[in-house]
Each structure stands twice: as C-alpha cells, then as structure tokens.
Amino acid sequence: MLKDDKSYPYIKATMGRISPTFWFARDMKKDGRSRTLVLIPAPGAVKGQPLDLIHKLYRIRTCNRNLPKDTGKERPCLNYHIKQCDAPCQGYISREEYQSNFNQALDF
C-alpha cells in the first residue's frame, strides 16, 4: 500500500565530495559516491519536511554547482541571503566547518 507506480523514495547524501549535500532519490544504487539514509513511505513527505529541515537546521547547500570548480563564479543564492545556507559555493565558510555541519546532519 505504500508503493505507487514508481519505486520507494529515499533521502541520499553525497559522500567524498568537498561540499556534500542531501537530495531526494528513488533508487537505491550503491555507487560508492552516495549513501542512502532513510526510506520514506510517502513521496510527498520527502520533498517537504525532512529534507527542508535538514537543510535549514544545518545550513547545508541546496545548489547543484560543481565545487570547487565553480566557486565564486556566480553570486550566492537566495538561501544565503535569508540565512539558510553558509554559501560554500562562494567560499564564505571553510571546508572543515561545512564538513562539520554536514556530519552533524548525518547524525541527525
């Protein structure tokens, strides 16, 4: 009953990147570059509260920029201006601080 015409939704985390992030996924492929964190029974629930809560509480980036190659090429996103991101895409936070925030979010 929890399954629709697609596969189950998951929250995944990128691993081994300079500025890792979380995202919504529908596959459980083990590629070594990401880690599947949690299975969510309702697809609408993934895109809403849990993922947004992680991004807001721990100030994890939501942009799709290729870091560190794209660092400083464009202006910071709206989330930086409303204090929901520390703008690692601009270099406003050190890699160590951002990684610490990301690790806290993983523990959460």
Short mmCIF file of all heavy atoms in Angstrom, two decimals, residues 19-51:
data_model
loop_
_atom_site.label_atom_id
_atom_site.label_comp_id
_atom_site.label_asym_id
_atom_site.label_seq_id
_atom_site.Cartn_x
_atom_site.Cartn_y
_atom_site.Cartn_z
N SER A 19 32.03 19.65 -0.91
CA SER A 19 30.84 20.23 -0.28
C SER A 19 29.67 19.28 -0.50
O SER A 19 28.88 19.45 -1.42
CB SER A 19 30.53 21.59 -0.88
OG SER A 19 31.53 22.51 -0.55
N PRO A 20 29.52 18.27 0.35
CA PRO A 20 28.45 17.30 0.16
C PRO A 20 27.08 17.90 0.42
O PRO A 20 26.96 18.96 1.02
CB PRO A 20 28.77 16.22 1.19
CG PRO A 20 29.59 16.89 2.22
CD PRO A 20 30.33 17.99 1.52
N THR A 21 26.05 17.21 -0.02
CA THR A 21 24.68 17.69 0.17
C THR A 21 23.72 16.51 0.25
O THR A 21 24.12 15.36 0.04
CB THR A 21 24.27 18.65 -0.97
OG1 THR A 21 23.03 19.25 -0.63
CG2 THR A 21 24.20 17.97 -2.30
N PHE A 22 22.47 16.78 0.53
CA PHE A 22 21.40 15.78 0.60
C PHE A 22 20.46 16.00 -0.56
O PHE A 22 20.28 17.11 -1.02
CB PHE A 22 20.61 15.93 1.91
CG PHE A 22 21.43 15.67 3.13
CD1 PHE A 22 22.02 16.72 3.82
CD2 PHE A 22 21.59 14.39 3.61
CE1 PHE A 22 22.76 16.49 4.95
CE2 PHE A 22 22.34 14.15 4.75
CZ PHE A 22 22.92 15.19 5.41
N TRP A 23 19.80 14.92 -1.02
CA TRP A 23 18.82 15.06 -2.07
C TRP A 23 17.81 13.92 -2.01
O TRP A 23 18.01 12.92 -1.34
CB TRP A 23 19.46 15.18 -3.44
CG TRP A 23 19.93 13.90 -4.06
CD1 TRP A 23 19.22 13.12 -4.92
CD2 TRP A 23 21.18 13.26 -3.89
NE1 TRP A 23 19.96 12.03 -5.28
CE2 TRP A 23 21.17 12.10 -4.66
CE3 TRP A 23 22.32 13.55 -3.15
CZ2 TRP A 23 22.24 11.22 -4.71
CZ3 TRP A 23 23.38 12.69 -3.20
CH2 TRP A 23 23.34 11.55 -3.98
N PHE A 24 16.72 14.09 -2.75
CA PHE A 24 15.64 13.13 -2.88
C PHE A 24 15.99 12.19 -4.03
O PHE A 24 16.40 12.63 -5.09
CB PHE A 24 14.35 13.91 -3.17
CG PHE A 24 13.21 13.06 -3.61
CD1 PHE A 24 12.44 12.40 -2.68
CD2 PHE A 24 12.88 12.94 -4.94
CE1 PHE A 24 11.36 11.64 -3.07
CE2 PHE A 24 11.80 12.18 -5.34
CZ PHE A 24 11.04 11.52 -4.41
N ALA A 25 15.83 10.89 -3.81
CA ALA A 25 16.12 9.92 -4.87
C ALA A 25 15.11 8.79 -4.82
O ALA A 25 14.50 8.53 -3.79
CB ALA A 25 17.53 9.37 -4.70
N ARG A 26 14.96 8.11 -5.94
CA ARG A 26 14.05 6.96 -6.00
C ARG A 26 14.79 5.66 -6.28
O ARG A 26 14.17 4.65 -6.56
CB ARG A 26 13.00 7.19 -7.07
CG ARG A 26 11.97 8.20 -6.67
CD ARG A 26 10.71 7.98 -7.47
NE ARG A 26 9.64 8.84 -7.03
CZ ARG A 26 8.70 8.48 -6.18
NH1 ARG A 26 8.70 7.28 -5.68
NH2 ARG A 26 7.75 9.31 -5.84
N ASP A 27 16.08 5.66 -6.22
CA ASP A 27 16.83 4.42 -6.44
C ASP A 27 17.75 4.14 -5.26
O ASP A 27 18.10 5.02 -4.51
CB ASP A 27 17.64 4.51 -7.73
CG ASP A 27 18.63 5.65 -7.73
OD1 ASP A 27 18.54 6.50 -6.84
OD2 ASP A 27 19.47 5.70 -8.63
N MET A 28 18.13 2.89 -5.12
CA MET A 28 18.99 2.50 -4.03
C MET A 28 20.29 1.92 -4.60
O MET A 28 20.79 0.92 -4.12
CB MET A 28 18.29 1.49 -3.14
CG MET A 28 19.06 1.15 -1.91
SD MET A 28 17.99 1.10 -0.52
CE MET A 28 19.12 0.50 0.69
N LYS A 29 20.81 2.53 -5.63
CA LYS A 29 22.05 2.06 -6.24
C LYS A 29 23.22 2.31 -5.31
O LYS A 29 23.32 3.37 -4.71
CB LYS A 29 22.30 2.78 -7.56
CG LYS A 29 21.29 2.46 -8.61
CD LYS A 29 21.57 3.24 -9.88
CE LYS A 29 20.49 3.01 -10.88
NZ LYS A 29 20.62 3.89 -12.04
N LYS A 30 24.10 1.35 -5.22
CA LYS A 30 25.31 1.50 -4.41
C LYS A 30 26.44 1.86 -5.36
O LYS A 30 27.02 1.00 -6.00
CB LYS A 30 25.60 0.22 -3.64
CG LYS A 30 24.51 -0.08 -2.66
CD LYS A 30 24.88 -1.19 -1.73
CE LYS A 30 23.71 -1.40 -0.81
NZ LYS A 30 24.04 -1.91 0.45
N ASP A 31 26.74 3.15 -5.44
CA ASP A 31 27.76 3.62 -6.38
C ASP A 31 29.04 4.04 -5.68
O ASP A 31 30.01 4.41 -6.33
CB ASP A 31 27.22 4.75 -7.24
CG ASP A 31 26.70 5.92 -6.42
OD1 ASP A 31 26.83 5.90 -5.19
OD2 ASP A 31 26.18 6.86 -7.03
N GLY A 32 29.07 4.03 -4.35
CA GLY A 32 30.27 4.42 -3.62
C GLY A 32 30.42 5.92 -3.45
O GLY A 32 31.26 6.37 -2.69
N ARG A 33 29.64 6.71 -4.17
CA ARG A 33 29.73 8.17 -4.06
C ARG A 33 28.61 8.76 -3.22
O ARG A 33 28.64 9.92 -2.89
CB ARG A 33 29.70 8.80 -5.44
CG ARG A 33 30.88 8.41 -6.29
CD ARG A 33 30.78 9.03 -7.64
NE ARG A 33 29.43 8.74 -8.16
CZ ARG A 33 29.11 8.74 -9.43
NH1 ARG A 33 30.00 9.03 -10.32
NH2 ARG A 33 27.89 8.47 -9.82
N SER A 34 27.59 7.94 -2.92
CA SER A 34 26.48 8.44 -2.13
C SER A 34 26.08 7.40 -1.09
O SER A 34 26.44 6.23 -1.18
CB SER A 34 25.28 8.77 -3.03
OG SER A 34 24.84 7.61 -3.67
N ARG A 35 25.34 7.87 -0.11
CA ARG A 35 24.90 7.00 0.97
C ARG A 35 23.39 7.17 1.13
O ARG A 35 22.91 8.29 1.28
CB ARG A 35 25.63 7.39 2.25
CG ARG A 35 25.26 6.59 3.44
CD ARG A 35 26.17 6.97 4.59
NE ARG A 35 25.49 6.74 5.84
CZ ARG A 35 25.88 7.22 7.00
NH1 ARG A 35 26.95 7.97 7.07
NH2 ARG A 35 25.23 6.95 8.08
N THR A 36 22.65 6.08 1.08
CA THR A 36 21.21 6.14 1.27
C THR A 36 20.94 6.19 2.76
O THR A 36 21.39 5.34 3.51
CB THR A 36 20.53 4.91 0.64
OG1 THR A 36 20.89 4.86 -0.73
CG2 THR A 36 19.04 5.00 0.77
N LEU A 37 20.19 7.20 3.19
CA LEU A 37 19.99 7.40 4.60
C LEU A 37 18.70 6.82 5.13
O LEU A 37 18.69 6.12 6.13
CB LEU A 37 20.02 8.91 4.91
CG LEU A 37 21.32 9.61 4.58
CD1 LEU A 37 21.18 11.08 4.85
CD2 LEU A 37 22.44 9.03 5.41
N VAL A 38 17.59 7.14 4.48
CA VAL A 38 16.32 6.75 5.06
C VAL A 38 15.29 6.50 3.96
O VAL A 38 15.30 7.15 2.93
CB VAL A 38 15.83 7.84 6.04
CG1 VAL A 38 15.31 9.05 5.32
CG2 VAL A 38 14.82 7.33 7.02
N LEU A 39 14.44 5.52 4.21
CA LEU A 39 13.32 5.23 3.33
C LEU A 39 12.10 5.97 3.87
O LEU A 39 11.79 5.89 5.05
CB LEU A 39 13.04 3.74 3.32
CG LEU A 39 11.72 3.27 2.74
CD1 LEU A 39 11.70 3.49 1.24
CD2 LEU A 39 11.49 1.81 3.05
N ILE A 40 11.44 6.74 3.01
CA ILE A 40 10.26 7.49 3.42
C ILE A 40 9.04 6.85 2.74
O ILE A 40 9.01 6.74 1.53
CB ILE A 40 10.38 8.97 2.99
CG1 ILE A 40 11.65 9.59 3.54
CG2 ILE A 40 9.16 9.74 3.42
CD1 ILE A 40 11.70 9.75 5.03
N PRO A 41 8.03 6.43 3.53
CA PRO A 41 6.89 5.76 2.91
C PRO A 41 6.03 6.65 2.02
O PRO A 41 5.45 6.17 1.07
CB PRO A 41 6.09 5.25 4.10
CG PRO A 41 6.62 5.93 5.29
CD PRO A 41 7.96 6.46 4.96
N ALA A 42 5.94 7.94 2.30
CA ALA A 42 5.11 8.83 1.49
C ALA A 42 5.99 9.76 0.66
O ALA A 42 6.77 10.53 1.22
CB ALA A 42 4.20 9.66 2.40
N PRO A 43 5.92 9.70 -0.67
CA PRO A 43 6.79 10.52 -1.51
C PRO A 43 6.71 12.01 -1.24
O PRO A 43 7.69 12.71 -1.27
CB PRO A 43 6.33 10.21 -2.93
CG PRO A 43 5.61 8.93 -2.84
CD PRO A 43 5.07 8.84 -1.45
N GLY A 44 5.54 12.53 -0.95
CA GLY A 44 5.39 13.95 -0.68
C GLY A 44 6.09 14.37 0.60
O GLY A 44 6.50 15.51 0.76
N ALA A 45 6.26 13.43 1.53
CA ALA A 45 6.91 13.74 2.80
C ALA A 45 8.41 13.97 2.65
O ALA A 45 9.01 14.69 3.44
CB ALA A 45 6.66 12.62 3.80
N VAL A 46 9.05 13.38 1.65
CA VAL A 46 10.49 13.56 1.46
C VAL A 46 10.80 14.96 1.01
O VAL A 46 11.71 15.61 1.52
CB VAL A 46 11.04 12.55 0.42
CG1 VAL A 46 12.48 12.84 0.11
CG2 VAL A 46 10.91 11.15 0.94
N LYS A 47 10.06 15.45 0.04
CA LYS A 47 10.35 16.77 -0.51
C LYS A 47 9.93 17.88 0.43
O LYS A 47 10.35 18.99 0.28
CB LYS A 47 9.65 16.92 -1.86
CG LYS A 47 10.22 16.03 -2.92
CD LYS A 47 9.56 16.26 -4.24
CE LYS A 47 10.18 15.39 -5.31
NZ LYS A 47 9.55 15.53 -6.59
N GLY A 48 9.13 17.55 1.39
CA GLY A 48 8.65 18.57 2.32
C GLY A 48 9.50 18.68 3.56
O GLY A 48 10.61 19.18 3.53
N GLN A 49 9.01 18.17 4.64
CA GLN A 49 9.58 18.44 5.95
C GLN A 49 10.98 17.88 6.21
O GLN A 49 11.86 18.64 6.60
CB GLN A 49 8.61 17.97 7.02
CG GLN A 49 7.34 18.78 7.01
CD GLN A 49 6.33 18.24 7.99
OE1 GLN A 49 6.49 17.15 8.52
NE2 GLN A 49 5.29 19.00 8.23
N PRO A 50 11.26 16.59 6.06
CA PRO A 50 12.57 16.09 6.49
C PRO A 50 13.75 16.74 5.76
O PRO A 50 14.72 17.15 6.38
CB PRO A 50 12.52 14.60 6.22
CG PRO A 50 11.12 14.26 5.97
CD PRO A 50 10.42 15.51 5.57
N LEU A 51 13.66 16.81 4.45
CA LEU A 51 14.77 17.36 3.67
C LEU A 51 14.94 18.85 3.91
O LEU A 51 16.06 19.34 4.08
CB LEU A 51 14.55 17.06 2.19
CG LEU A 51 15.76 16.97 1.30
CD1 LEU A 51 16.81 16.05 1.86
CD2 LEU A 51 15.36 16.50 -0.08
#
